[in-house]
Amino acid sequence: MPTPIVLVHGLRVGGASLHRIAQAITDRPVLTPDLPGHGTRSTETFSMGAAVAAVRDAVESLGGHAVVAGMSLGGYVAMATAARHPAVVDGVVAMGATAQPSRLLAAPFQAFGVATSVLPRQAAWVSMGLTRLAVGRRVATDMEAGGLALHSIRDVVDELAAFDALDAVSRYRGPVEFLNGGWDQFRIHEARFVAAADARLQILPRATHLFPLIQPVRTAEAITAFARRCDVAAQRQSTT
């Protein structure tokens, strides 16, 4: 049986934003759950523990084991899930998630989170306008599917600032692949993450932080190739 995949979305967007990636993975079941504070769960408060539980629930609904692939925030949630529940995670693909969280790195995002809480409507207009300028209407429409969770930015950033991603990924003994855009600002601790996880690293030249949404077919191909390697490893274990 092909290993199922749970795709985990990034900050502000919901699981629906990943629909083109999910549709391009054709050889196995795929789920794109919403994290707390996002999409259909927008009224909930985000915490890393609740996010891990959401992913764990998705894995359970797929039969109790899966590859977990996440972009940005989703990459960190994938690492946290693997560290806390290694028996149900067959492998991790973390995309745009190789900056070790810290209070210093969180500061600009916290400032934006404050602005969204003070002027939520204006912040939403600015966010949507800048996104459309940066990535075009089609990708922006994907990002807006299910609504933009600007109100959750402060909660997410506060949780991430206290999250030791390097420790989490180092404690997981399964296969890990980091998939980064060549122009992604979240590559700053890339070498440390690769060493901590003894992981594979794949760089997409001239790609930005949002490459999974901009290049969904290419992203789906990379995730599928990783999942197929997990299939082979699982088959070998079952015959030994």
Side-chain angles (χ1 to χ4, degrees):
M1 285 287 293
T3 307
I5 295 172
V6 175
L7 295 178
V8 191
H9 62 81
L11 178 63
R12 297 187 302 152
V13 300
S17 67
L18 305 176
H19 71 99
R20 287 198 288 155
I21 302 173
Q23 290 169 359
I25 299 173
T26 59
D27 66 338
R28 64 197 64 234
V30 180
L31 282 183
T32 59
D34 287 324
L35 298 178
H38 299 75
T40 59
R41 304 181 65 174
S42 63
T43 60
E44 301 177 30
T45 300
F46 180 92
S47 71
M48 186 60 80
V52 167
V55 175
R56 174 68 190 268
D57 288 346
V59 172
E60 288 297 325
S61 72
L62 288 169
H65 68 97
V67 165
V68 182
M71 64 169 289
S72 194
L73 166 62
Y76 294 112
V77 173
M79 288 184 259
T81 304
R84 299 183 192 187
H85 304 290
V88 305
V89 178
D90 290 348
V92 170
V93 181
M95 301 172 282
T98 52
Q100 171 72 337
S102 68
R103 294 292 176 187
L104 180 62
L105 289 177
F109 298 95
Q110 288 172 325
F112 183 65
V114 171
T116 61
S117 64
V118 174
L119 298 168
R121 183 175 300 178
Q122 292 87 338
W125 291 339
V126 170
S127 179
M128 288 188 289
L130 291 176
T131 299
R132 288 174 182 267
L133 285 173
V135 298
R137 182 174 295 275
R138 184 174 188 183
V139 175
T141 299
D142 285 345
M143 293 178 67
E144 294 163 15
L148 291 177
L150 300 181
H151 63 285
S152 290
I153 290 176
R154 293 178 69 179
D155 294 328
V156 171
V157 174
D158 286 345
E159 286 287 299
L160 280 182
F163 175 57
D164 190 341
L166 283 166
D167 176 70
V169 79
S170 71
R171 289 189 282 114
Y172 176 62
R173 301 305 179 190
V176 177
E177 181 166 313
F178 294 109
L179 185 57
N180 286 336
W183 292 342
D184 186 357
Q185 67 272 28
F186 278 71
R187 291 183 61 192
I188 58 173
H189 301 130
E190 185 178 77
R192 293 173 63 189
F193 275 86
V194 172
D198 190 22
R200 293 170 59 106
L201 171 65
Q202 186 174 169
I203 304 296
L204 275 63
R206 299 180 297 279
T208 67
H209 186 64
L210 293 176
F211 78 83
L213 302 179
I214 297 170
Q215 302 182 52
V217 174
R218 177 69 186 85
T219 300
E221 290 172 349
I223 296 171
T224 298
F226 176 85
R228 287 174 178 168
R229 291 193 293 272
C230 293
D231 295 342
V232 172
Q235 291 171 359
R236 288 174 178 169
Q237 289 180 351
S238 67
T239 57
T240 57

